[in-house]
Structure formats: structure tokens, C-alpha cells
PDB file of all heavy atoms in Angstrom:
ATOM      1  N   GLY A   1      68.419  80.245 110.516  1.00  0.00           N
ATOM      2  CA  GLY A   1      67.788  80.353 111.817  1.00  0.00           C
ATOM      3  C   GLY A   1      66.279  80.273 111.818  1.00  0.00           C
ATOM      4  O   GLY A   1      65.665  80.283 112.899  1.00  0.00           O
ATOM      5  N   ARG A   2      65.660  80.162 110.650  1.00  0.00           N
ATOM      6  CA  ARG A   2      64.205  80.083 110.557  1.00  0.00           C
ATOM      7  C   ARG A   2      63.779  78.637 110.360  1.00  0.00           C
ATOM      8  O   ARG A   2      64.140  77.998 109.374  1.00  0.00           O
ATOM      9  CB  ARG A   2      63.695  80.943 109.400  1.00  0.00           C
ATOM     10  CG  ARG A   2      62.183  80.971 109.265  1.00  0.00           C
ATOM     11  CD  ARG A   2      61.748  81.983 108.217  1.00  0.00           C
ATOM     12  NE  ARG A   2      60.290  82.003 108.068  1.00  0.00           N
ATOM     13  CZ  ARG A   2      59.626  81.270 107.176  1.00  0.00           C
ATOM     14  NH1 ARG A   2      60.280  80.457 106.348  1.00  0.00           N
ATOM     15  NH2 ARG A   2      58.301  81.339 107.113  1.00  0.00           N
ATOM     16  N   ARG A   3      62.992  78.125 111.287  1.00  0.00           N
ATOM     17  CA  ARG A   3      62.536  76.738 111.247  1.00  0.00           C
ATOM     18  C   ARG A   3      61.233  76.645 110.459  1.00  0.00           C
ATOM     19  O   ARG A   3      60.267  77.356 110.749  1.00  0.00           O
ATOM     20  CB  ARG A   3      62.327  76.220 112.670  1.00  0.00           C
ATOM     21  CG  ARG A   3      62.011  74.741 112.763  1.00  0.00           C
ATOM     22  CD  ARG A   3      61.741  74.332 114.208  1.00  0.00           C
ATOM     23  NE  ARG A   3      60.588  75.017 114.760  1.00  0.00           N
ATOM     24  CZ  ARG A   3      59.751  74.475 115.643  1.00  0.00           C
ATOM     25  NH1 ARG A   3      59.941  73.251 116.082  1.00  0.00           N
ATOM     26  NH2 ARG A   3      58.735  75.168 116.101  1.00  0.00           N
ATOM     27  N   GLN A   4      61.211  75.759 109.456  1.00  0.00           N
ATOM     28  CA  GLN A   4      60.025  75.598 108.603  1.00  0.00           C
ATOM     29  C   GLN A   4      59.669  74.114 108.493  1.00  0.00           C
ATOM     30  O   GLN A   4      60.459  73.304 108.014  1.00  0.00           O
ATOM     31  CB  GLN A   4      60.288  76.171 107.214  1.00  0.00           C
ATOM     32  CG  GLN A   4      59.114  76.061 106.250  1.00  0.00           C
ATOM     33  CD  GLN A   4      57.930  76.913 106.675  1.00  0.00           C
ATOM     34  OE1 GLN A   4      58.079  78.095 106.978  1.00  0.00           O
ATOM     35  NE2 GLN A   4      56.748  76.310 106.731  1.00  0.00           N
ATOM     36  N   ALA A   5      58.463  73.758 108.926  1.00  0.00           N
ATOM     37  CA  ALA A   5      58.009  72.363 108.817  1.00  0.00           C
ATOM     38  C   ALA A   5      57.606  72.042 107.393  1.00  0.00           C
ATOM     39  O   ALA A   5      57.040  72.886 106.686  1.00  0.00           O
ATOM     40  CB  ALA A   5      56.828  72.139 109.750  1.00  0.00           C
ATOM     41  N   PHE A   6      57.904  70.801 106.942  1.00  0.00           N
ATOM     42  CA  PHE A   6      57.401  70.381 105.635  1.00  0.00           C
ATOM     43  C   PHE A   6      56.694  69.034 105.671  1.00  0.00           C
ATOM     44  O   PHE A   6      56.251  68.539 104.638  1.00  0.00           O
ATOM     45  CB  PHE A   6      58.476  70.437 104.543  1.00  0.00           C
ATOM     46  CG  PHE A   6      59.739  69.645 104.803  1.00  0.00           C
ATOM     47  CD1 PHE A   6      59.868  68.336 104.384  1.00  0.00           C
ATOM     48  CD2 PHE A   6      60.820  70.254 105.439  1.00  0.00           C
ATOM     49  CE1 PHE A   6      61.024  67.637 104.588  1.00  0.00           C
ATOM     50  CE2 PHE A   6      61.995  69.557 105.642  1.00  0.00           C
ATOM     51  CZ  PHE A   6      62.110  68.244 105.223  1.00  0.00           C
ATOM     52  N   LYS A   7      56.530  68.428 106.851  1.00  0.00           N
ATOM     53  CA  LYS A   7      55.692  67.243 106.992  1.00  0.00           C
ATOM     54  C   LYS A   7      55.404  67.035 108.479  1.00  0.00           C
ATOM     55  O   LYS A   7      56.275  67.223 109.325  1.00  0.00           O
ATOM     56  CB  LYS A   7      56.388  65.988 106.427  1.00  0.00           C
ATOM     57  CG  LYS A   7      55.447  64.854 106.032  1.00  0.00           C
ATOM     58  CD  LYS A   7      54.563  65.229 104.853  1.00  0.00           C
ATOM     59  CE  LYS A   7      53.672  64.101 104.403  1.00  0.00           C
ATOM     60  NZ  LYS A   7      54.376  63.048 103.657  1.00  0.00           N
ATOM     61  N   ASN A   8      54.156  66.640 108.784  1.00  0.00           N
ATOM     62  CA  ASN A   8      53.722  66.479 110.169  1.00  0.00           C
ATOM     63  C   ASN A   8      52.750  65.320 110.255  1.00  0.00           C
ATOM     64  O   ASN A   8      51.980  65.073 109.347  1.00  0.00           O
ATOM     65  CB  ASN A   8      53.065  67.780 110.668  1.00  0.00           C
ATOM     66  CG  ASN A   8      52.518  67.670 112.058  1.00  0.00           C
ATOM     67  OD1 ASN A   8      51.372  67.263 112.250  1.00  0.00           O
ATOM     68  ND2 ASN A   8      53.309  68.015 113.043  1.00  0.00           N
ATOM     69  N   GLN A   9      52.809  64.608 111.406  1.00  0.00           N
ATOM     70  CA  GLN A   9      51.888  63.497 111.616  1.00  0.00           C
ATOM     71  C   GLN A   9      51.548  63.411 113.108  1.00  0.00           C
ATOM     72  O   GLN A   9      52.424  63.450 113.970  1.00  0.00           O
ATOM     73  CB  GLN A   9      52.519  62.164 111.181  1.00  0.00           C
ATOM     74  CG  GLN A   9      51.665  60.943 111.442  1.00  0.00           C
ATOM     75  CD  GLN A   9      50.407  60.917 110.584  1.00  0.00           C
ATOM     76  OE1 GLN A   9      50.476  61.168 109.384  1.00  0.00           O
ATOM     77  NE2 GLN A   9      49.271  60.622 111.194  1.00  0.00           N
ATOM     78  N   ASN A  10      50.258  63.322 113.415  1.00  0.00           N
ATOM     79  CA  ASN A  10      49.829  63.154 114.805  1.00  0.00           C
ATOM     80  C   ASN A  10      50.087  61.718 115.258  1.00  0.00           C
ATOM     81  O   ASN A  10      49.691  60.767 114.583  1.00  0.00           O
ATOM     82  CB  ASN A  10      48.340  63.469 114.943  1.00  0.00           C
ATOM     83  CG  ASN A  10      48.034  64.941 114.757  1.00  0.00           C
ATOM     84  OD1 ASN A  10      48.879  65.797 115.008  1.00  0.00           O
ATOM     85  ND2 ASN A  10      46.839  65.261 114.282  1.00  0.00           N
ATOM     86  N   VAL A  11      50.772  61.587 116.410  1.00  0.00           N
ATOM     87  CA  VAL A  11      51.042  60.285 117.019  1.00  0.00           C
ATOM     88  C   VAL A  11      51.030  60.484 118.534  1.00  0.00           C
ATOM     89  O   VAL A  11      51.255  61.589 119.030  1.00  0.00           O
ATOM     90  CB  VAL A  11      52.391  59.677 116.596  1.00  0.00           C
ATOM     91  CG1 VAL A  11      52.408  59.307 115.129  1.00  0.00           C
ATOM     92  CG2 VAL A  11      53.540  60.629 116.929  1.00  0.00           C
ATOM     93  N   LYS A  12      50.785  59.420 119.272  1.00  0.00           N
ATOM     94  CA  LYS A  12      50.814  59.492 120.724  1.00  0.00           C
ATOM     95  C   LYS A  12      52.260  59.403 121.198  1.00  0.00           C
ATOM     96  O   LYS A  12      52.967  58.428 120.910  1.00  0.00           O
ATOM     97  CB  LYS A  12      49.986  58.358 121.343  1.00  0.00           C
ATOM     98  CG  LYS A  12      50.037  58.315 122.867  1.00  0.00           C
ATOM     99  CD  LYS A  12      49.496  59.590 123.498  1.00  0.00           C
ATOM    100  CE  LYS A  12      49.553  59.534 125.016  1.00  0.00           C
ATOM    101  NZ  LYS A  12      49.117  60.817 125.630  1.00  0.00           N
ATOM    102  N   VAL A  13      52.702  60.433 121.940  1.00  0.00           N
ATOM    103  CA  VAL A  13      54.045  60.466 122.507  1.00  0.00           C
ATOM    104  C   VAL A  13      53.901  60.650 124.021  1.00  0.00           C
ATOM    105  O   VAL A  13      53.587  61.735 124.496  1.00  0.00           O
ATOM    106  CB  VAL A  13      54.895  61.596 121.910  1.00  0.00           C
ATOM    107  CG1 VAL A  13      56.320  61.533 122.449  1.00  0.00           C
ATOM    108  CG2 VAL A  13      54.900  61.539 120.384  1.00  0.00           C
ATOM    109  N   ALA A  14      54.107  59.599 124.775  1.00  0.00           N
ATOM    110  CA  ALA A  14      53.901  59.642 126.218  1.00  0.00           C
ATOM    111  C   ALA A  14      55.112  60.236 126.920  1.00  0.00           C
ATOM    112  O   ALA A  14      56.260  60.008 126.532  1.00  0.00           O
ATOM    113  CB  ALA A  14      53.632  58.240 126.754  1.00  0.00           C
ATOM    114  N   SER A  15      54.847  61.000 127.973  1.00  0.00           N
ATOM    115  CA  SER A  15      55.918  61.538 128.826  1.00  0.00           C
ATOM    116  C   SER A  15      56.453  60.448 129.752  1.00  0.00           C
ATOM    117  O   SER A  15      55.754  59.505 130.097  1.00  0.00           O
ATOM    118  CB  SER A  15      55.397  62.701 129.660  1.00  0.00           C
ATOM    119  OG  SER A  15      54.967  63.756 128.848  1.00  0.00           O
ATOM    120  N   ASN A  16      57.717  60.613 130.134  1.00  0.00           N
ATOM    121  CA  ASN A  16      58.385  59.711 131.092  1.00  0.00           C
ATOM    122  C   ASN A  16      58.346  58.251 130.651  1.00  0.00           C
ATOM    123  O   ASN A  16      58.280  57.320 131.476  1.00  0.00           O
ATOM    124  CB  ASN A  16      57.789  59.875 132.489  1.00  0.00           C
ATOM    125  CG  ASN A  16      58.228  61.176 133.122  1.00  0.00           C
ATOM    126  OD1 ASN A  16      59.412  61.400 133.345  1.00  0.00           O
ATOM    127  ND2 ASN A  16      57.280  62.058 133.390  1.00  0.00           N
ATOM    128  N   VAL A  17      58.380  58.069 129.338  1.00  0.00           N
ATOM    129  CA  VAL A  17      58.458  56.734 128.729  1.00  0.00           C
ATOM    130  C   VAL A  17      59.535  56.799 127.652  1.00  0.00           C
ATOM    131  O   VAL A  17      59.649  57.799 126.939  1.00  0.00           O
ATOM    132  CB  VAL A  17      57.102  56.331 128.101  1.00  0.00           C
ATOM    133  CG1 VAL A  17      57.230  55.014 127.331  1.00  0.00           C
ATOM    134  CG2 VAL A  17      56.030  56.227 129.169  1.00  0.00           C
ATOM    135  N   TRP A  18      60.311  55.733 127.528  1.00  0.00           N
ATOM    136  CA  TRP A  18      61.341  55.685 126.472  1.00  0.00           C
ATOM    137  C   TRP A  18      60.689  55.390 125.123  1.00  0.00           C
ATOM    138  O   TRP A  18      59.843  54.500 125.009  1.00  0.00           O
ATOM    139  CB  TRP A  18      62.400  54.649 126.801  1.00  0.00           C
ATOM    140  CG  TRP A  18      63.382  55.135 127.819  1.00  0.00           C
ATOM    141  CD1 TRP A  18      63.366  54.878 129.155  1.00  0.00           C
ATOM    142  CD2 TRP A  18      64.498  55.978 127.578  1.00  0.00           C
ATOM    143  NE1 TRP A  18      64.411  55.506 129.761  1.00  0.00           N
ATOM    144  CE2 TRP A  18      65.132  56.197 128.833  1.00  0.00           C
ATOM    145  CE3 TRP A  18      65.036  56.582 126.447  1.00  0.00           C
ATOM    146  CZ2 TRP A  18      66.284  56.995 128.968  1.00  0.00           C
ATOM    147  CZ3 TRP A  18      66.179  57.371 126.578  1.00  0.00           C
ATOM    148  CH2 TRP A  18      66.783  57.565 127.818  1.00  0.00           C
ATOM    149  N   HIS A  19      61.118  56.127 124.105  1.00  0.00           N
ATOM    150  CA  HIS A  19      60.657  55.954 122.720  1.00  0.00           C
ATOM    151  C   HIS A  19      61.878  55.832 121.811  1.00  0.00           C
ATOM    152  O   HIS A  19      63.004  56.165 122.199  1.00  0.00           O
ATOM    153  CB  HIS A  19      59.810  57.143 122.269  1.00  0.00           C
ATOM    154  CG  HIS A  19      58.637  57.436 123.133  1.00  0.00           C
ATOM    155  ND1 HIS A  19      57.454  56.722 123.051  1.00  0.00           N
ATOM    156  CD2 HIS A  19      58.447  58.364 124.115  1.00  0.00           C
ATOM    157  CE1 HIS A  19      56.593  57.204 123.929  1.00  0.00           C
ATOM    158  NE2 HIS A  19      57.161  58.190 124.586  1.00  0.00           N
ATOM    159  N   THR A  20      61.635  55.403 120.568  1.00  0.00           N
ATOM    160  CA  THR A  20      62.708  55.297 119.576  1.00  0.00           C
ATOM    161  C   THR A  20      62.345  56.130 118.346  1.00  0.00           C
ATOM    162  O   THR A  20      61.259  55.984 117.784  1.00  0.00           O
ATOM    163  CB  THR A  20      62.935  53.833 119.156  1.00  0.00           C
ATOM    164  OG1 THR A  20      63.273  53.070 120.309  1.00  0.00           O
ATOM    165  CG2 THR A  20      64.075  53.743 118.147  1.00  0.00           C
ATOM    166  N   LEU A  21      63.269  56.996 117.959  1.00  0.00           N
ATOM    167  CA  LEU A  21      63.102  57.842 116.778  1.00  0.00           C
ATOM    168  C   LEU A  21      64.199  57.515 115.775  1.00  0.00           C
ATOM    169  O   LEU A  21      65.367  57.411 116.146  1.00  0.00           O
ATOM    170  CB  LEU A  21      63.164  59.314 117.179  1.00  0.00           C
ATOM    171  CG  LEU A  21      62.992  60.363 116.070  1.00  0.00           C
ATOM    172  CD1 LEU A  21      61.604  60.264 115.439  1.00  0.00           C
ATOM    173  CD2 LEU A  21      63.214  61.772 116.632  1.00  0.00           C
ATOM    174  N   HIS A  22      63.809  57.357 114.517  1.00  0.00           N
ATOM    175  CA  HIS A  22      64.755  56.972 113.471  1.00  0.00           C
ATOM    176  C   HIS A  22      64.491  57.791 112.210  1.00  0.00           C
ATOM    177  O   HIS A  22      63.338  58.032 111.854  1.00  0.00           O
ATOM    178  CB  HIS A  22      64.600  55.481 113.134  1.00  0.00           C
ATOM    179  CG  HIS A  22      65.354  55.053 111.910  1.00  0.00           C
ATOM    180  ND1 HIS A  22      66.691  54.734 111.935  1.00  0.00           N
ATOM    181  CD2 HIS A  22      64.951  54.904 110.617  1.00  0.00           C
ATOM    182  CE1 HIS A  22      67.071  54.386 110.726  1.00  0.00           C
ATOM    183  NE2 HIS A  22      66.037  54.494 109.900  1.00  0.00           N
ATOM    184  N   VAL A  23      65.570  58.235 111.552  1.00  0.00           N
ATOM    185  CA  VAL A  23      65.444  58.874 110.249  1.00  0.00           C
ATOM    186  C   VAL A  23      66.394  58.211 109.266  1.00  0.00           C
ATOM    187  O   VAL A  23      67.550  57.929 109.594  1.00  0.00           O
ATOM    188  CB  VAL A  23      65.688  60.400 110.315  1.00  0.00           C
ATOM    189  CG1 VAL A  23      67.089  60.738 110.784  1.00  0.00           C
ATOM    190  CG2 VAL A  23      65.393  61.040 108.969  1.00  0.00           C
ATOM    191  N   ASP A  24      65.885  57.939 108.084  1.00  0.00           N
ATOM    192  CA  ASP A  24      66.658  57.420 106.960  1.00  0.00           C
ATOM    193  C   ASP A  24      66.739  58.556 105.955  1.00  0.00           C
ATOM    194  O   ASP A  24      65.740  58.920 105.327  1.00  0.00           O
ATOM    195  CB  ASP A  24      65.931  56.204 106.376  1.00  0.00           C
ATOM    196  CG  ASP A  24      66.606  55.653 105.125  1.00  0.00           C
ATOM    197  OD1 ASP A  24      67.536  56.288 104.615  1.00  0.00           O
ATOM    198  OD2 ASP A  24      66.164  54.586 104.652  1.00  0.00           O
ATOM    199  N   ALA A  25      67.932  59.144 105.810  1.00  0.00           N
ATOM    200  CA  ALA A  25      68.144  60.290 104.924  1.00  0.00           C
ATOM    201  C   ALA A  25      68.981  59.860 103.729  1.00  0.00           C
ATOM    202  O   ALA A  25      70.139  59.446 103.895  1.00  0.00           O
ATOM    203  CB  ALA A  25      68.823  61.418 105.669  1.00  0.00           C
ATOM    204  N   HIS A  26      68.408  59.960 102.537  1.00  0.00           N
ATOM    205  CA  HIS A  26      69.104  59.563 101.311  1.00  0.00           C
ATOM    206  C   HIS A  26      68.752  60.568 100.215  1.00  0.00           C
ATOM    207  O   HIS A  26      67.601  60.651  99.792  1.00  0.00           O
ATOM    208  CB  HIS A  26      68.719  58.154 100.882  1.00  0.00           C
ATOM    209  CG  HIS A  26      69.561  57.637  99.750  1.00  0.00           C
ATOM    210  ND1 HIS A  26      69.188  57.772  98.429  1.00  0.00           N
ATOM    211  CD2 HIS A  26      70.757  57.003  99.742  1.00  0.00           C
ATOM    212  CE1 HIS A  26      70.110  57.229  97.654  1.00  0.00           C
ATOM    213  NE2 HIS A  26      71.086  56.759  98.429  1.00  0.00           N
ATOM    214  N   GLY A  27      69.749  61.347  99.804  1.00  0.00           N
ATOM    215  CA  GLY A  27      69.481  62.379  98.809  1.00  0.00           C
ATOM    216  C   GLY A  27      68.488  63.385  99.370  1.00  0.00           C
ATOM    217  O   GLY A  27      68.669  63.918 100.481  1.00  0.00           O
ATOM    218  N   ASP A  28      67.418  63.635  98.610  1.00  0.00           N
ATOM    219  CA  ASP A  28      66.388  64.576  99.091  1.00  0.00           C
ATOM    220  C   ASP A  28      65.196  63.853  99.706  1.00  0.00           C
ATOM    221  O   ASP A  28      64.152  64.458  99.952  1.00  0.00           O
ATOM    222  CB  ASP A  28      65.916  65.480  97.943  1.00  0.00           C
ATOM    223  CG  ASP A  28      65.192  64.715  96.839  1.00  0.00           C
ATOM    224  OD1 ASP A  28      65.132  63.463  96.895  1.00  0.00           O
ATOM    225  OD2 ASP A  28      64.669  65.381  95.926  1.00  0.00           O
ATOM    226  N   HIS A  29      65.348  62.551  99.988  1.00  0.00           N
ATOM    227  CA  HIS A  29      64.253  61.729 100.522  1.00  0.00           C
ATOM    228  C   HIS A  29      64.525  61.366 101.973  1.00  0.00           C
ATOM    229  O   HIS A  29      65.597  60.851 102.305  1.00  0.00           O
ATOM    230  CB  HIS A  29      64.099  60.454  99.670  1.00  0.00           C
ATOM    231  CG  HIS A  29      62.965  59.596 100.122  1.00  0.00           C
ATOM    232  ND1 HIS A  29      63.011  58.220 100.060  1.00  0.00           N
ATOM    233  CD2 HIS A  29      61.748  59.898 100.653  1.00  0.00           C
ATOM    234  CE1 HIS A  29      61.883  57.718 100.507  1.00  0.00           C
ATOM    235  NE2 HIS A  29      61.097  58.723 100.886  1.00  0.00           N
ATOM    236  N   PHE A  30      63.539  61.610 102.831  1.00  0.00           N
ATOM    237  CA  PHE A  30      63.692  61.357 104.263  1.00  0.00           C
ATOM    238  C   PHE A  30      62.505  60.548 104.772  1.00  0.00           C
ATOM    239  O   PHE A  30      61.344  60.936 104.559  1.00  0.00           O
ATOM    240  CB  PHE A  30      63.774  62.683 105.028  1.00  0.00           C
ATOM    241  CG  PHE A  30      64.728  63.666 104.431  1.00  0.00           C
ATOM    242  CD1 PHE A  30      64.294  64.915 104.011  1.00  0.00           C
ATOM    243  CD2 PHE A  30      66.061  63.343 104.244  1.00  0.00           C
ATOM    244  CE1 PHE A  30      65.157  65.819 103.434  1.00  0.00           C
ATOM    245  CE2 PHE A  30      66.939  64.233 103.667  1.00  0.00           C
ATOM    246  CZ  PHE A  30      66.497  65.478 103.259  1.00  0.00           C
ATOM    247  N   MET A  31      62.783  59.433 105.436  1.00  0.00           N
ATOM    248  CA  MET A  31      61.738  58.612 106.018  1.00  0.00           C
ATOM    249  C   MET A  31      61.971  58.513 107.520  1.00  0.00           C
ATOM    250  O   MET A  31      63.068  58.160 107.963  1.00  0.00           O
ATOM    251  CB  MET A  31      61.723  57.223 105.396  1.00  0.00           C
ATOM    252  CG  MET A  31      60.518  56.390 105.831  1.00  0.00           C
ATOM    253  SD  MET A  31      60.357  54.862 104.880  1.00  0.00           S
ATOM    254  CE  MET A  31      61.804  53.968 105.443  1.00  0.00           C
ATOM    255  N   VAL A  32      60.939  58.832 108.283  1.00  0.00           N
ATOM    256  CA  VAL A  32      61.027  58.864 109.728  1.00  0.00           C
ATOM    257  C   VAL A  32      60.140  57.775 110.324  1.00  0.00           C
ATOM    258  O   VAL A  32      58.965  57.642 109.946  1.00  0.00           O
ATOM    259  CB  VAL A  32      60.591  60.238 110.294  1.00  0.00           C
ATOM    260  CG1 VAL A  32      60.622  60.241 111.822  1.00  0.00           C
ATOM    261  CG2 VAL A  32      61.484  61.344 109.728  1.00  0.00           C
ATOM    262  N   THR A  33      60.704  56.992 111.256  1.00  0.00           N
ATOM    263  CA  THR A  33      59.908  56.024 111.990  1.00  0.00           C
ATOM    264  C   THR A  33      59.962  56.375 113.469  1.00  0.00           C
ATOM    265  O   THR A  33      60.977  56.870 113.989  1.00  0.00           O
ATOM    266  CB  THR A  33      60.408  54.579 111.787  1.00  0.00           C
ATOM    267  OG1 THR A  33      61.777  54.495 112.207  1.00  0.00           O
ATOM    268  CG2 THR A  33      60.310  54.179 110.331  1.00  0.00           C
ATOM    269  N   TYR A  34      58.854  56.117 114.148  1.00  0.00           N
ATOM    270  CA  TYR A  34      58.715  56.408 115.578  1.00  0.00           C
ATOM    271  C   TYR A  34      58.159  55.157 116.243  1.00  0.00           C
ATOM    272  O   TYR A  34      57.095  54.657 115.849  1.00  0.00           O
ATOM    273  CB  TYR A  34      57.787  57.600 115.781  1.00  0.00           C
ATOM    274  CG  TYR A  34      57.227  57.729 117.174  1.00  0.00           C
ATOM    275  CD1 TYR A  34      58.030  58.155 118.234  1.00  0.00           C
ATOM    276  CD2 TYR A  34      55.901  57.406 117.445  1.00  0.00           C
ATOM    277  CE1 TYR A  34      57.522  58.254 119.509  1.00  0.00           C
ATOM    278  CE2 TYR A  34      55.366  57.513 118.719  1.00  0.00           C
ATOM    279  CZ  TYR A  34      56.189  57.927 119.749  1.00  0.00           C
ATOM    280  OH  TYR A  34      55.687  58.015 121.020  1.00  0.00           O
ATOM    281  N   ASP A  35      58.895  54.639 117.210  1.00  0.00           N
ATOM    282  CA  ASP A  35      58.529  53.404 117.912  1.00  0.00           C
ATOM    283  C   ASP A  35      58.187  52.284 116.914  1.00  0.00           C
ATOM    284  O   ASP A  35      57.228  51.531 117.101  1.00  0.00           O
ATOM    285  CB  ASP A  35      57.366  53.656 118.867  1.00  0.00           C
ATOM    286  CG  ASP A  35      57.803  54.366 120.145  1.00  0.00           C
ATOM    287  OD1 ASP A  35      59.037  54.498 120.349  1.00  0.00           O
ATOM    288  OD2 ASP A  35      56.944  54.788 120.931  1.00  0.00           O
ATOM    289  N   GLY A  36      58.975  52.204 115.842  1.00  0.00           N
ATOM    290  CA  GLY A  36      58.862  51.116 114.886  1.00  0.00           C
ATOM    291  C   GLY A  36      57.847  51.326 113.794  1.00  0.00           C
ATOM    292  O   GLY A  36      57.728  50.483 112.895  1.00  0.00           O
ATOM    293  N   ASN A  37      57.131  52.448 113.796  1.00  0.00           N
ATOM    294  CA  ASN A  37      56.109  52.717 112.779  1.00  0.00           C
ATOM    295  C   ASN A  37      56.511  53.906 111.908  1.00  0.00           C
ATOM    296  O   ASN A  37      56.933  54.941 112.445  1.00  0.00           O
ATOM    297  CB  ASN A  37      54.755  53.015 113.442  1.00  0.00           C
ATOM    298  CG  ASN A  37      54.250  51.850 114.268  1.00  0.00           C
ATOM    299  OD1 ASN A  37      54.174  50.733 113.790  1.00  0.00           O
ATOM    300  ND2 ASN A  37      53.933  52.118 115.538  1.00  0.00           N
TER     301      ASN A  37
END
């Protein structure tokens, strides 16, 4: 029940606009893309 961040990145996230979020999870490695980046 305890949430702990282990990576953070500042990006522009606009309200009332559609965005795309993607995560590639393989073993202990996770890669996240947001709006194609």
C-alpha cells in the first residue's frame, strides 16, 4: 500500500487533450514513452 517513485521526468501534459502512454516491461527493466517520446 505504500507508493514509492523510482524515476521521474518533467514533460508537458495538457488537460482536455488526448495523449498516449506506453510501458515496455521486460524482467526488471521498464521503458516508458509518452506521446511517442
Side-chain angles (χ1 to χ4, degrees):
R2 182 173 179 267
R3 187 183 62 146
Q4 180 66 49
F6 56 91
K7 203 66 177 285
N8 176 272
Q9 177 67 46
N10 291 332
V11 293
K12 177 61 180 175
V13 184
S15 298
N16 287 298
V17 174
W18 282 98
H19 304 280
T20 301
L21 181 62
H22 169 83
V23 62
D24 176 352
H26 188 268
D28 65 354
H29 182 214
F30 313 121
M31 188 170 68
V32 177
T33 59
Y34 162 73
D35 284 351
N37 299 308

